[in-house]
Amino acid sequence: MNVPMLDLKKQFAGIKDEVMPAIEKVCQEQACCLGPAVKQFEKNAAQFCNADFAVAVSSGTDAILVSLMAAGIGRGDEVILPSFTFAATTGTVARLGAVPIFADINKRTFNIDPVKIDEKVTSKTKAIIPVHLFGQMADMMPIMDIASRHGLTVIEDAAQSIGASQDGYSSGTVGDYGCFSFYPTKNLGAFGDAGMITTCSSENDSICRMIRNHGQNKQYEYERIGGNFRMDGIQGAVLNVKLRHLKDWQKKRQANARLYDELLKDVEQIKLPFIESGNVSVYNQYTIKAEDRDQLKEFLQNSGIGCAVYYPAPLHKQKCFEYLNCSRESLPITEKVCRQVLSIPVSPELERQQLEYVVEKIRKFYGC
Ligand SMILES: *Cc1c(COP(=O)(O)O)cnc(C)c1O
Protein backbone atom coordinates (compact mmCIF):
# COMPACT_ATOMS: atom_id res chain seq x y z
CA MET A 1 0.00 0.00 0.00
CA ASN A 2 1.09 3.55 -0.66
CA VAL A 3 0.51 6.26 1.93
CA PRO A 4 1.82 9.61 0.72
CA MET A 5 2.37 12.52 3.12
CA LEU A 6 0.19 14.62 0.84
CA ASP A 7 -1.80 13.86 -2.29
CA LEU A 8 -2.41 17.16 -4.02
CA LYS A 9 -3.46 15.50 -7.27
CA LYS A 10 -6.29 13.78 -5.43
CA GLN A 11 -7.24 17.05 -3.76
CA PHE A 12 -7.28 18.80 -7.14
CA ALA A 13 -9.47 16.11 -8.70
CA GLY A 14 -12.09 16.88 -6.05
CA ILE A 15 -12.19 20.63 -6.68
CA LYS A 16 -11.24 20.89 -10.35
CA ASP A 17 -14.74 21.93 -11.43
CA GLU A 18 -14.61 24.90 -9.09
CA VAL A 19 -10.97 25.85 -9.61
CA MET A 20 -10.78 25.91 -13.41
CA PRO A 21 -13.54 28.50 -13.99
CA ALA A 22 -12.06 30.68 -11.24
CA ILE A 23 -8.67 30.59 -12.96
CA GLU A 24 -10.25 31.20 -16.34
CA LYS A 25 -11.96 34.30 -15.00
CA VAL A 26 -8.60 35.75 -13.96
CA CYS A 27 -7.25 34.94 -17.42
CA GLN A 28 -10.20 36.63 -19.13
CA GLU A 29 -9.85 39.70 -16.93
CA GLN A 30 -6.04 39.61 -17.11
CA ALA A 31 -6.02 40.70 -13.49
CA CYS A 32 -2.62 39.09 -13.02
CA CYS A 33 -1.17 40.89 -9.98
CA LEU A 34 -3.54 41.53 -7.06
CA GLY A 35 -6.90 42.39 -8.68
CA PRO A 36 -10.50 41.45 -7.75
CA ALA A 37 -9.89 37.77 -6.88
CA VAL A 38 -7.11 38.73 -4.46
CA LYS A 39 -9.23 41.48 -2.96
CA GLN A 40 -12.05 39.00 -2.43
CA PHE A 41 -9.62 36.55 -0.88
CA GLU A 42 -8.41 39.18 1.59
CA LYS A 43 -12.00 39.66 2.71
CA ASN A 44 -12.76 35.94 2.94
CA ALA A 45 -9.50 35.10 4.68
CA ALA A 46 -9.79 37.91 7.24
CA GLN A 47 -13.21 36.56 8.13
CA PHE A 48 -11.97 32.97 8.30
CA CYS A 49 -9.11 34.00 10.61
CA ASN A 50 -11.24 36.35 12.74
CA ALA A 51 -8.89 39.20 11.86
CA ASP A 52 -9.92 42.77 11.13
CA PHE A 53 -7.55 43.04 8.17
CA ALA A 54 -5.72 40.70 5.81
CA VAL A 55 -3.01 41.72 3.34
CA ALA A 56 -2.31 39.21 0.57
CA VAL A 57 1.37 38.86 -0.26
CA SER A 58 3.73 36.81 -2.39
CA SER A 59 4.74 34.14 0.17
CA GLY A 60 4.84 33.26 3.83
CA THR A 61 8.45 34.35 3.94
CA ASP A 62 7.49 37.73 2.53
CA ALA A 63 4.66 38.01 5.06
CA ILE A 64 7.26 37.82 7.83
CA LEU A 65 9.65 40.16 6.01
CA VAL A 66 6.95 42.77 5.37
CA SER A 67 5.77 42.58 9.00
CA LEU A 68 9.32 43.11 10.25
CA MET A 69 9.75 46.05 7.86
CA ALA A 70 6.40 47.50 8.95
CA ALA A 71 7.49 47.22 12.59
CA GLY A 72 10.66 49.14 11.71
CA ILE A 73 13.01 46.28 12.62
CA GLY A 74 16.49 46.93 11.27
CA ARG A 75 20.22 46.89 11.81
CA GLY A 76 21.30 45.73 15.27
CA ASP A 77 17.80 45.12 16.57
CA GLU A 78 17.38 41.82 18.36
CA VAL A 79 14.49 39.51 17.55
CA ILE A 80 13.77 36.49 19.76
CA LEU A 81 12.58 33.35 17.99
CA PRO A 82 12.86 29.57 18.09
CA SER A 83 15.68 27.64 16.44
CA PHE A 84 13.37 24.67 15.85
CA THR A 85 11.53 26.09 12.84
CA PHE A 86 11.71 26.59 9.09
CA ALA A 87 14.58 28.75 7.83
CA ALA A 88 12.33 31.62 6.74
CA THR A 89 11.49 32.64 10.31
CA THR A 90 15.11 33.52 10.93
CA GLY A 91 16.31 34.38 7.42
CA THR A 92 13.95 37.35 7.16
CA VAL A 93 15.28 38.82 10.42
CA ALA A 94 18.87 38.41 9.25
CA ARG A 95 18.17 39.93 5.83
CA LEU A 96 17.17 43.17 7.53
CA GLY A 97 20.43 43.32 9.45
CA ALA A 98 18.64 42.49 12.67
CA VAL A 99 20.00 39.81 15.00
CA PRO A 100 18.12 36.54 15.52
CA ILE A 101 18.26 35.49 19.17
CA PHE A 102 17.31 31.86 19.63
CA ALA A 103 15.26 30.65 22.57
CA ASP A 104 14.65 27.02 23.48
CA ILE A 105 11.31 25.25 23.14
CA ASN A 106 8.83 23.28 25.20
CA LYS A 107 9.68 19.60 24.78
CA ARG A 108 6.06 18.51 24.48
CA THR A 109 4.54 21.15 22.19
CA PHE A 110 7.78 21.93 20.26
CA ASN A 111 6.88 25.63 20.53
CA ILE A 112 9.01 28.44 21.94
CA ASP A 113 9.14 28.51 25.74
CA PRO A 114 8.08 31.90 27.18
CA VAL A 115 10.39 31.45 30.19
CA LYS A 116 13.34 31.13 27.80
CA ILE A 117 12.20 34.22 25.89
CA ASP A 118 12.20 36.25 29.10
CA GLU A 119 15.83 35.27 29.78
CA LYS A 120 16.92 36.58 26.38
CA VAL A 121 15.37 40.04 26.48
CA THR A 122 17.97 42.85 26.41
CA SER A 123 17.84 46.60 25.80
CA LYS A 124 18.22 45.83 22.09
CA THR A 125 15.27 43.46 21.82
CA LYS A 126 12.60 44.79 19.48
CA ALA A 127 10.39 41.85 18.61
CA ILE A 128 9.41 38.25 19.31
CA ILE A 129 8.43 35.77 16.59
CA PRO A 130 6.57 32.83 18.11
CA VAL A 131 6.07 30.03 15.57
CA HIS A 132 2.89 27.98 15.79
CA LEU A 133 4.56 24.75 14.78
CA PHE A 134 2.78 21.79 13.17
CA GLY A 135 -0.63 23.44 13.60
CA GLN A 136 -0.63 24.28 17.32
CA MET A 137 -0.29 27.80 18.66
CA ALA A 138 2.61 28.78 20.90
CA ASP A 139 1.79 29.82 24.47
CA MET A 140 0.65 33.34 23.59
CA MET A 141 -0.53 34.77 26.94
CA PRO A 142 2.88 34.90 28.64
CA ILE A 143 4.48 35.98 25.34
CA MET A 144 2.11 38.95 25.05
CA ASP A 145 2.83 39.73 28.67
CA ILE A 146 6.61 39.84 28.08
CA ALA A 147 6.03 41.94 24.97
CA SER A 148 3.90 44.49 26.74
CA ARG A 149 6.33 44.74 29.67
CA HIS A 150 9.22 45.53 27.31
CA GLY A 151 7.37 47.30 24.50
CA LEU A 152 8.10 44.60 21.90
CA THR A 153 6.35 43.81 18.64
CA VAL A 154 4.92 40.30 18.33
CA ILE A 155 4.89 38.71 14.88
CA GLU A 156 3.15 35.35 14.84
CA ASP A 157 4.59 32.89 12.34
CA ALA A 158 1.27 31.21 11.62
CA ALA A 159 2.47 29.56 8.38
CA GLN A 160 1.44 26.12 9.65
CA SER A 161 -1.57 27.06 11.72
CA ILE A 162 -4.37 28.66 9.72
CA GLY A 163 -7.62 27.98 11.61
CA ALA A 164 -5.92 26.98 14.88
CA SER A 165 -6.99 28.63 18.11
CA GLN A 166 -6.01 29.09 21.75
CA ASP A 167 -8.57 29.84 24.45
CA GLY A 168 -10.88 30.95 21.64
CA TYR A 169 -8.35 33.31 20.03
CA SER A 170 -7.51 32.58 16.40
CA SER A 171 -4.01 31.98 15.19
CA GLY A 172 -2.56 35.19 13.75
CA THR A 173 -4.82 37.57 15.69
CA VAL A 174 -3.13 37.69 19.09
CA GLY A 175 0.13 39.44 18.20
CA ASP A 176 0.59 42.63 16.18
CA TYR A 177 0.95 40.70 12.92
CA GLY A 178 0.01 37.17 11.85
CA CYS A 179 1.97 35.65 8.98
CA PHE A 180 0.50 32.89 6.85
CA SER A 181 1.94 30.78 4.04
CA PHE A 182 -0.05 29.28 1.19
CA TYR A 183 2.82 27.18 -0.09
CA PRO A 184 1.19 24.06 -1.60
CA THR A 185 2.06 21.80 1.37
CA LYS A 186 0.39 24.05 3.92
CA ASN A 187 -3.18 23.37 5.08
CA LEU A 188 -4.38 26.01 2.64
CA GLY A 189 -2.17 25.79 -0.43
CA ALA A 190 -2.06 27.91 -3.57
CA PHE A 191 -0.89 26.77 -7.01
CA GLY A 192 2.50 28.29 -6.37
CA ASP A 193 3.79 30.72 -3.79
CA ALA A 194 1.51 33.01 -1.81
CA GLY A 195 1.10 34.35 1.71
CA MET A 196 -0.83 36.74 3.91
CA ILE A 197 -0.49 39.09 6.85
CA THR A 198 -3.37 39.51 9.30
CA THR A 199 -3.63 42.36 11.76
CA CYS A 200 -6.24 44.02 13.91
CA SER A 201 -4.69 47.49 13.50
CA SER A 202 -5.75 49.62 10.55
CA GLU A 203 -2.41 51.44 10.76
CA ASN A 204 -0.44 48.18 10.45
CA ASP A 205 -2.73 47.18 7.62
CA SER A 206 -2.03 50.32 5.58
CA ILE A 207 1.71 50.17 6.22
CA CYS A 208 1.85 46.53 5.07
CA ARG A 209 -0.16 47.40 1.95
CA MET A 210 2.25 50.19 1.17
CA ILE A 211 5.37 48.04 1.68
CA ARG A 212 3.83 45.28 -0.45
CA ASN A 213 3.82 47.67 -3.38
CA HIS A 214 7.23 49.41 -3.24
CA GLY A 215 6.23 51.65 -0.36
CA GLN A 216 4.02 53.53 -2.72
CA ASN A 217 1.44 55.84 -1.24
CA LYS A 218 0.03 57.41 -4.38
CA GLN A 219 1.28 56.36 -7.79
CA TYR A 220 4.99 57.13 -8.04
CA GLU A 221 5.07 58.64 -4.57
CA TYR A 222 7.12 56.49 -2.25
CA GLU A 223 6.55 57.08 1.41
CA ARG A 224 8.85 54.33 2.63
CA ILE A 225 11.10 51.64 1.23
CA GLY A 226 9.09 48.61 0.22
CA GLY A 227 9.31 45.94 -2.42
CA ASN A 228 7.31 43.76 -4.75
CA PHE A 229 5.42 41.48 -2.38
CA ARG A 230 2.16 41.23 -4.33
CA MET A 231 0.02 38.11 -4.60
CA ASP A 232 -0.82 36.86 -8.12
CA GLY A 233 -4.43 37.01 -9.29
CA ILE A 234 -4.47 33.29 -10.08
CA GLN A 235 -3.37 32.43 -6.55
CA GLY A 236 -6.17 34.58 -5.14
CA ALA A 237 -8.71 32.75 -7.32
CA VAL A 238 -7.44 29.30 -6.31
CA LEU A 239 -7.31 30.26 -2.64
CA ASN A 240 -10.90 31.54 -2.69
CA VAL A 241 -12.05 28.13 -3.89
CA LYS A 242 -9.89 26.16 -1.46
CA LEU A 243 -10.84 28.35 1.49
CA ARG A 244 -14.43 27.12 1.12
CA HIS A 245 -13.18 23.58 1.80
CA LEU A 246 -10.70 24.39 4.53
CA LYS A 247 -13.01 23.75 7.50
CA ASP A 248 -13.84 20.28 6.16
CA TRP A 249 -10.21 19.49 5.44
CA GLN A 250 -9.30 20.67 8.92
CA LYS A 251 -11.93 18.38 10.49
CA LYS A 252 -10.56 15.47 8.48
CA ARG A 253 -7.02 16.17 9.70
CA GLN A 254 -8.28 16.33 13.28
CA ALA A 255 -10.20 13.08 12.86
CA ASN A 256 -7.11 11.39 11.42
CA ALA A 257 -5.07 12.64 14.37
CA ARG A 258 -7.65 11.29 16.83
CA LEU A 259 -7.51 7.91 15.13
CA TYR A 260 -3.70 7.78 15.45
CA ASP A 261 -3.98 8.97 19.08
CA GLU A 262 -6.29 6.07 19.79
CA LEU A 263 -4.52 3.35 17.84
CA LEU A 264 -0.98 4.29 18.91
CA LYS A 265 -1.49 5.29 22.53
CA ASP A 266 -0.07 2.07 23.97
CA VAL A 267 3.11 2.04 21.87
CA GLU A 268 5.72 2.79 24.53
CA GLN A 269 8.51 3.64 22.11
CA ILE A 270 6.77 6.71 20.75
CA LYS A 271 5.34 9.90 22.22
CA LEU A 272 2.23 11.21 20.52
CA PRO A 273 1.62 14.89 19.76
CA PHE A 274 0.76 16.82 22.91
CA ILE A 275 -1.94 19.44 22.51
CA GLU A 276 -2.01 21.94 25.37
CA SER A 277 -5.43 22.39 26.97
CA GLY A 278 -7.24 25.36 25.43
CA ASN A 279 -5.49 24.76 22.11
CA VAL A 280 -7.16 23.54 18.94
CA SER A 281 -4.54 22.14 16.55
CA VAL A 282 -5.07 21.99 12.80
CA TYR A 283 -2.36 19.31 12.43
CA ASN A 284 -0.32 20.65 9.56
CA GLN A 285 1.84 17.78 10.72
CA TYR A 286 1.24 14.83 13.02
CA THR A 287 4.63 14.68 14.69
CA ILE A 288 5.66 11.92 17.05
CA LYS A 289 8.83 11.49 19.07
CA ALA A 290 10.20 8.06 18.29
CA GLU A 291 12.87 5.75 19.66
CA ASP A 292 15.28 4.68 16.89
CA ARG A 293 13.75 7.42 14.78
CA ASP A 294 16.01 7.05 11.73
CA GLN A 295 15.47 3.30 11.52
CA LEU A 296 11.71 3.72 11.93
CA LYS A 297 11.69 6.33 9.18
CA GLU A 298 13.55 4.02 6.81
CA PHE A 299 11.30 1.09 7.69
CA LEU A 300 8.15 3.11 7.02
CA GLN A 301 9.51 4.52 3.78
CA ASN A 302 10.43 1.03 2.60
CA SER A 303 6.84 0.04 3.34
CA GLY A 304 5.50 2.74 1.01
CA ILE A 305 4.69 5.23 3.76
CA GLY A 306 5.69 8.84 3.29
CA CYS A 307 7.18 10.37 6.42
CA ALA A 308 9.59 13.19 7.09
CA VAL A 309 11.73 14.84 9.73
CA TYR A 310 10.80 18.43 10.43
CA TYR A 311 13.42 19.56 11.34
CA PRO A 312 16.59 17.44 11.31
CA ALA A 313 18.92 20.27 12.36
CA PRO A 314 18.26 23.41 14.40
CA LEU A 315 18.84 26.78 12.76
CA HIS A 316 21.46 27.92 15.29
CA LYS A 317 23.77 25.18 13.99
CA GLN A 318 23.37 26.07 10.32
CA LYS A 319 26.28 27.38 8.29
CA CYS A 320 24.47 30.53 7.22
CA PHE A 321 24.12 31.63 10.85
CA GLU A 322 27.73 30.89 11.83
CA TYR A 323 28.40 34.62 11.90
CA LEU A 324 26.05 34.92 14.85
CA ASN A 325 28.48 32.80 16.92
CA CYS A 326 25.57 30.88 18.34
CA SER A 327 26.55 27.43 17.07
CA ARG A 328 28.28 26.63 20.38
CA GLU A 329 25.26 27.81 22.26
CA SER A 330 23.23 25.06 23.79
CA LEU A 331 19.51 24.82 23.25
CA PRO A 332 19.27 21.33 24.74
CA ILE A 333 15.60 20.68 24.12
CA THR A 334 15.75 21.89 20.53
CA GLU A 335 18.81 19.74 19.85
CA LYS A 336 17.28 16.66 21.43
CA VAL A 337 13.93 17.05 19.67
CA CYS A 338 15.67 17.28 16.29
CA ARG A 339 16.90 13.72 16.87
CA GLN A 340 13.49 12.38 17.93
CA VAL A 341 10.78 13.84 15.73
CA LEU A 342 9.06 12.13 12.84
CA SER A 343 6.01 13.40 10.99
CA ILE A 344 3.64 10.77 9.59
CA PRO A 345 0.83 11.21 7.03
CA VAL A 346 -2.25 13.02 8.37
CA SER A 347 -3.59 14.82 5.29
CA PRO A 348 -7.35 15.03 4.61
CA GLU A 349 -7.21 12.88 1.48
CA LEU A 350 -6.15 9.74 3.37
CA GLU A 351 -8.49 6.78 3.76
CA ARG A 352 -8.93 4.95 7.04
CA GLN A 353 -7.20 1.81 5.68
CA GLN A 354 -4.13 3.90 4.90
CA LEU A 355 -3.93 5.21 8.46
CA GLU A 356 -4.43 1.70 9.81
CA TYR A 357 -1.61 0.52 7.59
CA VAL A 358 0.71 3.18 9.04
CA VAL A 359 -0.23 2.05 12.56
CA GLU A 360 0.32 -1.61 11.65
CA LYS A 361 3.80 -0.86 10.32
CA ILE A 362 4.81 1.23 13.34
CA ARG A 363 3.69 -1.61 15.60
CA LYS A 364 5.53 -4.12 13.48
CA PHE A 365 8.73 -2.08 13.70
CA TYR A 366 8.64 -2.05 17.49
CA GLY A 367 7.35 -5.63 17.70
CA CYS A 368 4.15 -4.74 19.52
C1 LIG B 1 6.30 27.46 5.17
C2 LIG B 1 6.80 28.25 6.30
C3 LIG B 1 7.28 29.57 6.13
C4 LIG B 1 7.51 30.20 4.79
O1 LIG B 1 6.45 30.22 3.93
P1 LIG B 1 6.70 30.27 2.34
O2 LIG B 1 5.33 30.52 1.82
O3 LIG B 1 7.25 28.96 1.93
O4 LIG B 1 7.61 31.39 2.06
C5 LIG B 1 7.66 30.26 7.26
N1 LIG B 1 7.60 29.72 8.48
C6 LIG B 1 7.17 28.47 8.69
C7 LIG B 1 7.12 27.94 10.09
C8 LIG B 1 6.77 27.69 7.60
O5 LIG B 1 6.36 26.44 7.83
Side-chain angles (χ1 to χ4, degrees):
M1 195 185 291
N2 238 334
V3 190
M5 277 297 260
L6 199 59
D7 191 347
L8 290 173
K9 287 180 188 162
K10 187 169 176 187
Q11 187 197 68
F12 177 60
I15 57 172
K16 184 171 176 220
D17 293 347
E18 295 172 78
V19 169
M20 294 316 286
I23 291 179
E24 180 160 3
K25 187 155 186 277
V26 176
C27 298
Q28 298 287 4
E29 289 170 349
Q30 282 299 299
C32 302
C33 303
L34 300 175
V38 171
K39 203 167 185 160
Q40 186 63 49
F41 175 68
E42 287 180 331
K43 244 177 113 175
N44 298 344
Q47 197 173 23
F48 185 92
C49 294
N50 296 310
D52 292 341
F53 305 95
V55 183
V57 295
S58 33
S59 70
T61 306
D62 290 341
I64 302 170
L65 185 63
V66 170
S67 299
L68 288 163
M69 289 168 80
I73 308 295
R75 198 152 298 283
D77 295 337
E78 294 181 357
V79 177
I80 302 175
L81 35 65
S83 173
F84 189 63
T85 177
F86 183 60
T89 317
T90 307
T92 45
V93 171
R95 279 161 68 185
L96 293 172
V99 186
I101 302 289
F102 296 108
D104 214 348
I105 53 172
N106 177 300
K107 69 175 182 206
R108 296 203 291 175
T109 64
F110 309 128
N111 281 326
I112 196 165
D113 181 345
V115 174
K116 302 290 164 54
I117 295 177
D118 220 1
E119 292 167 3
K120 301 257 167 155
V121 175
T122 72
S123 58
K124 291 185 190 157
T125 309
K126 287 284 156 50
I128 306 170
I129 310 184
V131 180
H132 306 322
L133 213 60
F134 306 144
Q136 170 171 221
M137 287 176 70
D139 193 2
M140 290 305 290
M141 272 266 272
I143 293 174
M144 295 311 291
D145 185 52
I146 294 165
S148 79
R149 268 191 284 124
H150 299 280
L152 311 176
T153 299
V154 175
I155 299 171
E156 293 174 66
D157 183 340
Q160 301 182 6
S161 66
I162 188 165
S165 66
Q166 183 168 79
D167 302 323
Y169 292 99
S170 296
S171 165
T173 66
V174 183
D176 299 278
Y177 305 87
C179 300
F180 294 85
S181 165
F182 306 122
Y183 184 73
T185 62
K186 302 294 156 85
N187 285 16
L188 178 64
F191 283 8
D193 282 303
M196 173 178 79
I197 302 159
T198 51
T199 178
C200 294
S201 141
S202 70
E203 193 190 346
N204 291 352
D205 173 69
S206 3
I207 295 171
C208 289
R209 276 173 204 287
M210 209 185 287
I211 292 171
R212 169 178 75 176
N213 198 21
H214 302 289
Q216 195 168 262
N217 183 5
K218 289 191 214 121
Q219 199 171 21
Y220 301 122
E221 282 180 26
Y222 306 101
E223 198 171 309
R224 47 198 299 159
I225 294 170
N228 173 0
F229 302 114
R230 297 181 298 254
M231 184 190 281
D232 293 342
I234 285 178
Q235 306 308 344
V238 170
L239 289 167
N240 275 323
V241 171
K242 286 204 184 184
L243 189 62
R244 298 202 284 264
H245 297 272
L246 188 57
K247 271 261 151 64
D248 286 340
W249 290 338
Q250 183 175 308
K251 281 188 197 140
K252 194 76 204 307
R253 281 178 185 274
Q254 289 161 339
N256 290 346
R258 276 198 303 274
L259 189 68
Y260 278 142
D261 285 348
E262 187 53 36
L263 299 180
L264 290 169
K265 66 176 182 222
D266 61 322
V267 180
E268 280 168 19
Q269 294 88 343
I270 62 178
K271 286 217 164 55
L272 302 176
F274 175 78
I275 308 302
E276 197 75 67
S277 87
N279 271 359
V280 175
S281 175
V282 291
Y283 292 99
N284 179 244
Q285 302 295 342
Y286 187 91
T287 304
I288 61 173
K289 287 196 282 189
E291 271 177 32
D292 303 317
R293 190 268 316 269
D294 293 334
Q295 291 90 324
L296 173 65
K297 177 174 168 236
E298 201 183 320
F299 179 77
L300 294 179
Q301 285 174 341
N302 290 338
S303 312
I305 296 167
C307 53
V309 174
Y310 307 114
Y311 298 90
L315 294 179
H316 70 286
K317 303 277 189 198
Q318 301 284 345
K319 187 161 195 287
C320 67
F321 296 123
E322 261 172 18
Y323 74 98
L324 294 169
N325 285 322
C326 59
S327 65
R328 305 257 301 280
E329 186 183 3
S330 177
L331 298 174
I333 299 171
T334 296
E335 286 155 32
K336 189 165 179 200
V337 158
C338 285
R339 297 191 291 270
Q340 299 174 313
V341 284
L342 184 66
S343 298
I344 58 176
V346 73
S347 69
E349 289 76 36
L350 295 167
E351 311 284 345
R352 190 182 170 112
Q353 306 91 276
Q354 290 176 297
L355 298 173
E356 284 170 352
Y357 177 75
V358 175
V359 170
E360 180 196 316
K361 290 297 168 187
I362 291 175
R363 286 185 170 282
K364 178 142 191 245
F365 176 77
Y366 290 116
C368 58

